[in-house]
Amino acid sequence: MSKFLNRATLDSFQHPGSEKLYVLRDDLKFQVGPSNIGCVITVPSGRVTNLASVPRTPLLSFLYREIVYLGGDYIDDGVLHDYMCDEQFEGIEQPLSGFTRFEADSMFRISLASMGCPWRQRVSAYLAIRIYAIASRLFRKRKVRQ
């Protein structure tokens, strides 16, 4: 069974001209699959995250709001997702994880399930991030062609 091997320990800081960001104090480890045959994804200490990027469109905000309002129970999932998505912030250089966006979104859903997140909230959050990923990819391609 997939599970976090430890909890995220974070320090917050105000990024110049931006929102509040957080830096991971210790490695965060997520075991995928059973302990005897699973692999471990390690988010390295020093990784910067914003915990959860809330989509700005009404539909996506509606889908995503349930996971955002859960009072921080799923912070580890947000840190893992930001790492796997290679989330970048202006002026902060971070190494790439090597995962695809689809893998990151799928692992987000798996990690939410491993933390006991209710099915409806898990599906809502997953749909929001998948729709956002697809829409931003289409927009980026259209922008490049012009």
Side-chain angles (χ1 to χ4, degrees):
M1 170 137 203
S2 299
K3 64 181 178 181
F4 281 97
L5 300 178
N6 63 321
R7 297 299 308 255
T9 52
L10 302 164
D11 291 319
S12 65
F13 67 96
Q14 189 65 42
H15 189 263
S18 183
E19 77 270 28
K20 183 186 274 191
L21 297 177
Y22 302 84
V23 63
L24 191 61
R25 268 193 259 157
D26 302 308
D27 290 354
L28 175 65
K29 297 179 184 234
F30 183 70
Q31 178 182 305
V32 184
S35 58
N36 57 342
I37 58 170
C39 69
V40 175
I41 298 171
T42 302
V43 182
S45 63
R47 186 74 188 188
V48 176
T49 179
N50 63 358
L51 301 181
S53 303
V54 181
R56 302 285 186 224
T57 63
L59 172 63
L60 297 182
S61 293
F62 172 76
L63 289 172
Y64 198 73
R65 72 181 160 85
E66 295 196 39
I67 202 70
V68 174
Y69 295 127
L70 291 174
D73 292 339
Y74 305 105
I75 286 173
D76 299 342
D77 308 281
V79 173
L80 177 67
H81 186 254
D82 276 1
Y83 166 69
M84 291 181 72
C85 284
D86 295 321
E87 186 76 27
Q88 300 293 320
F89 304 96
E90 190 175 331
I92 299 173
E93 203 166 308
Q94 301 193 99
L96 301 179
S97 69
F99 292 97
T100 67
R101 178 61 193 251
F102 181 77
E103 291 168 332
D105 294 349
S106 297
M107 198 56 58
F108 180 65
R109 184 175 40 84
I110 291 166
S111 68
L112 285 172
S114 77
M115 297 287 286
C117 180
W119 179 85
R120 192 179 100 198
Q121 292 167 323
R122 201 167 55 234
V123 169
S124 294
Y126 179 73
L127 284 174
I129 61 175
R130 284 308 306 147
I131 292 168
Y132 179 78
I134 292 166
S136 63
R137 186 173 176 200
L138 291 173
F139 178 73
R140 227 184 0 251
K141 283 184 177 181
R142 189 174 297 139
K143 189 175 182 180
V144 170
R145 288 182 193 160
Q146 293 177 355

